[in-house]
Amino acid sequence: MKLKFRIDTFQLYRTGIAIGIALLLGYIIIFFSKIPSDAASLWEGVRAGFDNANEAFKWFLLGPIVRWRGNEMLFNERGAIQWLNESVPIIITGLAVSIVFSAKQFNIGAEGQLFMGAVAATFVAVHFPAIPVLHPIVVILTAMVTGALWAVVPALMKAKLKASELVSSLMMNYVALYMGLFLIKTFIRDTKAGSLVSLPFAATAQLPFINERYRLHIGIVIAVVSAVVIWWILRRTTWGYQVRLIGDNINFAQYSGIATQSVVFQVQVASGAVAGMAGTLEMIGYYDRFLWLFSPGYGWDGIIIATLARNNPLFVLVAALFFSYIRVGAKIMGRNTDIAPEIVSILQAAIILLVTAEAFLSGLKQRSIEKRARKVEEALTGREVK
Amino acid sequence: MSDTLLGIFSWDFIGSVIRVTTPILLAAMGALVANLAGSPNIALEGTMLMSAFIGVIVSGFTQNLWLALFAGVLSGITMSLVLAFFALKMKTDIILAAIALNIFSTGGTIFFLSTLTGDKGSSASVNSLVFPNIDLPLIKDIPVLGEILSGHHIITYVAIVLIFVMQYVLYHTPLGLRIRAVGENPDAAESVGISVNKTRLIALIISGTLTSLGGLFLSMGYVSWFARDMTAGRGFIALAAQALGGVSAFGVALGALLFGFAEALSYSLQFLKVPYEFTQSLPFIITIAVLAFYAYIRLPQNVKRRGAQSGETRNGRLFQRVWEYFSRRAGIRKGVDS
């Protein structure tokens, strides 16, 4: 038990070091891109580079929660709310992906599931009778059912035909994108609007606001509750145990009498249901109509977040909040300097590469395990072990 | 109406099919090599995007096509090397590493584009070059055939030649055998002295090279500039084309052609008020159906045991397997199997 804890702290260190390296990389890139080409001397150029990079990093690291009035630091309410709002969809997709990952299955179909979920939800949000309280619930349930249905195709192919879910779930994303846009365009397009958007939602369909001014909606509460519920299901129920057992060793699970085929199927569908509501929460929370022209990419974010969180739903919260923090930070940096906020993707890529690299710092882990083992042996035998 | 229909199936249409197929074809062959080696390359999308970007930037700043070609291909290989380093050496899950690389390319190209040109949308301000179209001598003078065969982009011709080259390399050279052996059963390959990591590294490098040509075609042929996210999912479409086409380069070429055909058709059909969403999503639906079908005939109860399941019978002769399935269904007995 103690040893296991040690390994987890090791993971924590490793994630921390990965983040540190990524930030350093970002700093170096900004430094080099901000050395003015017309600097008087090399020294001047380097100093300007450092000044610019420091300025950019101030916005990047503190921007979401701090704003400055003169030299006075104030709480940046707007940035913090943007941070919370932007984390909602990626918390949800992170949860969806961590469910399938727990069973060592793959799901890159979250993207399509949330897109289709949002499309179906749009119809309900516009046309369902305007009953307060009930309306958003029906909208979210519709999105979940649609997401689950969208996950059925790859799940069936996996369970019945043993076809890899990797390609089939990817294909479903594109079908969702094209079909979804077609449905919006044909049946529910707002012809008065300049771009392709749906009719505005009924006012009753909107999620209530916590902070009206900057549109903080209760999506974040729903996301946190979902994380806790999914954690509870995965860690405290028989079904969750079966899922994790399949993830550890599917053959063992099979021999111990678990109907692995049907659990794998259920896992995929459950994940689809969760993913289905990811985009919808944002749409009926922050926006008031369907306005995507492309896949929003939350499904891919979900994969990254689930991986960073090592499939633990509670860590998903932390990882998603971290990711949306650096994204909002990058946007604020982009607004205040002329550095493109897209640099954050370089940091994200570095973090995911280093965190998922099993061999990264594994020597350190090995040494710490050996040290502990030596100590235990010394304590047991009373002799010095080399 | 019939005029429009004729317009759709004109020589122009065939030209447009060939044009949109080229990048998908190159990337799909990249997917094939990597897949056969058992190290699936999902980073095709990012690799294409990066090469498209590097090609434009280098040609813009040096005004030298050869340098642009070199840099573009090198950037594709670099992406593959990073993928290989993390997947093979650092034991990162290869899918996750590839997703990270895709994210890197999407954002990285925009960041560097804006740093270098000040524009975040496209490289319109960069005076970049394009690779030329080629008129085939003699053939271009043949009336109908000349119009179809001649005057395409040089990378298109390279891609067509590469179909045959790849088929030869994969199925008639020791390297191809090693790649397939490593993909089929890495432990067995290792036990007869084939280095799994080295073979996969080579496969990924080939994959990156092919894919980078597809990317160069996009920004230096198909159009003459780089635009953010200009690959628009073609790397993933290539994965689908490979899944559809199976394990031979010819099959993959056919798969890519189907996607190219659908894309070209969707442009043409817009004039007929057929929603392009249908034509564009059709190949994906077909791919899902075909994958389901492949999987179905591969199920144990549908496989007639033919001795040991060597690589050739399990994965290789796909068309033969499909044929056998149908002939069994039709009650045709053939050959000497028990």
Side-chain angles (χ1 to χ4, degrees):
Chain A
M1 202 57 215
K2 198 82 180 285
L3 193 68
K4 179 144 186 349
F5 176 68
R6 273 301 170 94
I7 291 170
D8 282 350
T9 40
F10 166 75
Q11 298 290 12
L12 201 65
Y13 287 144
R14 208 172 67 158
T15 312
I17 293 173
I19 292 169
I21 293 178
L23 289 176
L24 188 67
L25 182 71
Y27 187 88
I28 293 171
I29 292 175
I30 294 179
F31 167 70
F32 277 109
S33 72
K34 296 314 285 181
I35 295 179
S37 50
D38 55 351
S41 65
L42 183 68
W43 171 240
E44 286 289 309
V46 169
R47 224 181 50 193
F50 273 121
D51 285 348
N52 286 330
N54 287 340
E55 170 76 8
F57 256 63
K58 187 185 83 181
W59 291 112
F60 176 52
L61 291 180
L62 297 176
I65 45 171
V66 176
R67 67 196 166 90
W68 283 267
R69 188 190 287 149
N71 265 339
E72 197 187 351
M73 283 166 88
L74 296 170
F75 176 63
N76 184 355
E77 195 182 2
R78 183 193 192 150
I81 286 175
Q82 191 187 357
W83 166 34
L84 292 180
N85 273 344
E86 286 200 10
S87 62
V88 173
I90 57 180
I91 291 175
I92 303 283
T93 49
L95 292 173
V97 175
S98 68
I99 296 175
V100 269
F101 275 14
S102 296
K104 278 254 165 57
Q105 305 294 309
F106 225 88
N107 174 12
I108 48 180
E111 192 72 38
Q113 288 147 14
L114 73 91
F115 199 87
M116 228 37 202
V119 169
T122 300
F123 282 84
V124 180
V126 172
H127 289 310
F128 191 78
I131 306 164
V133 184
L134 187 65
H135 200 169
I137 296 175
V138 176
V139 169
I140 293 171
L141 287 179
T142 311
M144 292 180 74
V145 170
T146 315
L149 287 177
W150 210 250
V152 161
V153 176
L156 261 186
M157 281 170 68
K158 173 77 180 188
K160 294 282 170 204
L161 302 173
K162 303 210 180 336
S164 154
E165 70 273 33
L166 193 70
V167 179
S168 58
S169 62
L170 187 65
M171 298 300 97
M172 292 299 282
N173 289 350
Y174 286 93
V175 180
L177 173 66
Y178 292 124
M179 286 297 142
L181 285 179
F182 171 75
L183 291 174
I184 296 287
K185 201 160 86 178
T186 322
F187 296 110
I188 205 160
R189 177 175 192 170
D190 186 352
T191 43
K192 287 195 284 294
S195 55
L196 172 57
V197 293
S198 77
L199 293 167
F201 301 152
T204 44
Q206 300 263 274
L207 290 177
F209 287 117
I210 301 172
N211 176 322
E212 191 113 22
R213 181 156 173 229
Y214 297 120
R215 301 181 79 82
L216 175 64
H217 54 88
I218 62 159
I220 185 73
V221 179
I222 299 176
V224 171
V225 171
S226 310
V228 175
V229 169
I230 289 168
W231 177 85
W232 187 80
I233 291 175
L234 282 179
R235 298 298 159 113
R236 293 285 183 272
T237 65
T238 319
W239 187 78
Y241 181 69
Q242 292 178 344
V243 169
R244 285 184 295 128
L245 199 59
I246 289 174
D248 285 341
N249 187 336
I250 191 165
N251 291 328
F252 179 74
Q254 177 82 48
Y255 293 134
S256 34
I258 295 171
T260 48
Q261 265 194 12
S262 66
V263 175
V264 164
F265 177 79
Q266 290 157 8
V267 160
Q268 297 270 12
V269 174
S271 162
V274 175
M277 66 175 174
T280 308
L281 287 182
E282 185 178 53
M283 235 160 230
I284 60 174
Y286 193 72
Y287 302 110
D288 60 350
R289 52 176 84 207
F290 185 97
L291 34 67
W292 288 334
L293 296 176
F294 303 102
S295 262
Y298 297 144
W300 299 106
D301 296 338
I303 294 174
I304 294 173
I305 284 159
T307 312
L308 277 184
R310 302 199 174 263
N311 309 332
N312 182 331
L314 296 181
F315 292 165
V316 163
L317 281 178
V318 182
L321 282 169
F322 170 70
F323 259 64
S324 75
Y325 186 89
I326 60 173
R327 279 182 193 178
V328 172
K331 279 182 198 164
I332 290 174
M333 175 182 75
R335 275 202 296 274
N336 289 291
T337 64
D338 58 347
I339 296 163
E342 280 77 8
I343 190 175
V344 76
S345 343
I346 300 176
L347 305 194
Q348 286 173 2
I351 292 172
I352 181 109
L353 278 176
L354 292 174
V355 169
T356 52
E358 297 277 328
F360 176 56
L361 297 182
S362 62
L364 217 67
K365 175 180 174 182
Q366 186 67 28
R367 244 171 309 178
S368 100
I369 292 176
E370 276 168 12
K371 207 168 113 193
R372 277 194 56 75
R374 210 175 298 139
K375 238 185 234 158
V376 169
E377 203 176 330
E378 277 169 12
L380 285 177
T381 59
R383 270 180 304 142
E384 195 168 312
V385 186
K386 264 199 272 186
Chain B
M1 178 73 187
S2 63
D3 277 357
T4 348
L5 266 183
L6 272 180
I8 287 169
F9 294 102
S10 64
W11 304 134
D12 281 351
F13 178 72
I14 294 174
S16 127
V17 170
I18 291 173
R19 232 178 3 262
V20 295
T21 303
T22 304
I24 300 173
L25 169 62
L26 284 162
M29 286 195 291
L32 173 66
V33 184
N35 245 4
L36 279 180
S39 48
N41 186 355
I42 312 281
L44 299 171
E45 176 83 3
T47 309
M48 269 176 124
L49 195 62
M50 191 47 86
S51 311
F53 172 71
I54 298 283
V56 162
I57 291 298
V58 171
S59 82
F61 282 92
T62 65
Q63 296 294 314
N64 185 326
L65 266 185
W66 289 108
L67 270 181
L69 174 70
F70 178 73
V73 171
L74 196 67
S75 67
I77 292 177
T78 312
M79 293 285 285
S80 283
L81 285 178
V82 174
L83 180 64
F85 173 74
F86 276 99
L88 305 176
K89 182 105 180 141
M90 300 291 278
K91 305 274 177 257
T92 305
D93 184 291
I94 193 162
I95 308 281
L96 293 171
I99 291 173
L101 283 177
N102 287 335
I103 291 171
F104 168 78
S105 277
T106 316
T109 50
I110 300 174
F111 172 74
F112 290 115
L113 182 69
S114 114
T115 309
L116 291 171
T117 70
D119 188 344
K120 274 172 69 173
S122 78
S123 70
S125 60
V126 178
N127 180 25
S128 60
L129 310 174
V130 291
F131 291 108
N133 285 356
I134 299 278
D135 279 327
L136 298 177
L138 295 178
I139 294 177
K140 75 168 193 285
D141 299 326
I142 306 171
V144 178
L145 214 55
E147 217 166 334
I148 304 175
L149 293 180
S150 182
H152 292 301
H153 196 262
I154 184 163
I155 295 181
T156 301
Y157 291 116
V158 171
I160 293 168
V161 172
L162 280 174
I163 299 172
F164 296 93
V165 173
M166 286 317 296
Q167 179 70 15
Y168 180 80
V169 167
L170 287 174
Y171 290 97
H172 300 280
T173 64
L175 174 66
L177 184 65
R178 280 205 294 274
I179 287 178
R180 286 179 293 132
V182 164
E184 193 64 47
N185 190 337
D187 294 332
E190 192 83 60
S191 74
V192 294
I194 301 173
S195 164
V196 174
N197 277 357
K198 193 177 139 200
T199 313
R200 287 189 171 158
L201 174 68
I202 295 171
L204 282 175
I205 289 176
I206 298 175
S207 171
T209 311
L210 291 167
T211 312
S212 65
L213 286 176
L216 286 173
F217 173 81
L218 276 180
S219 65
M220 302 175 72
Y222 190 72
V223 294
S224 58
W225 60 82
F226 174 85
R228 61 185 295 168
D229 295 325
M230 76 183 305
T231 41
R234 286 186 178 84
F236 294 118
I237 291 172
L239 289 177
Q242 191 272 322
L244 190 62
V247 294
S248 87
F250 300 131
V252 169
L254 284 179
L257 195 62
L258 176 76
F259 278 91
F261 183 77
E263 198 182 332
L265 196 63
S266 68
Y267 297 144
S268 311
L269 285 182
Q270 270 168 314
F271 298 113
L272 286 181
K273 303 262 180 274
V274 176
Y276 75 95
E277 290 91 352
F278 282 117
T279 35
Q280 291 239 294
S281 59
L282 202 58
F284 295 105
I285 297 172
I286 294 176
T287 308
I288 294 173
V290 169
L291 280 180
F293 177 70
Y294 286 171
Y296 176 69
I297 59 175
R298 224 174 261 165
L299 280 182
Q301 65 262 33
N302 294 317
V303 171
K304 195 165 265 184
R305 298 252 163 229
R306 308 209 323 168
Q309 287 209 335
S310 70
E312 289 262 292
T313 46
R314 202 159 76 84
N315 262 333
R317 305 264 178 254
L318 199 66
F319 293 113
Q320 189 185 333
R321 290 288 305 284
V322 174
W323 162 251
E324 277 172 12
Y325 173 78
F326 279 117
S327 39
R328 244 191 348 266
R329 272 289 152 102
I332 303 169
R333 295 246 163 220
K334 163 175 161 283
V336 286
D337 42 43
S338 54

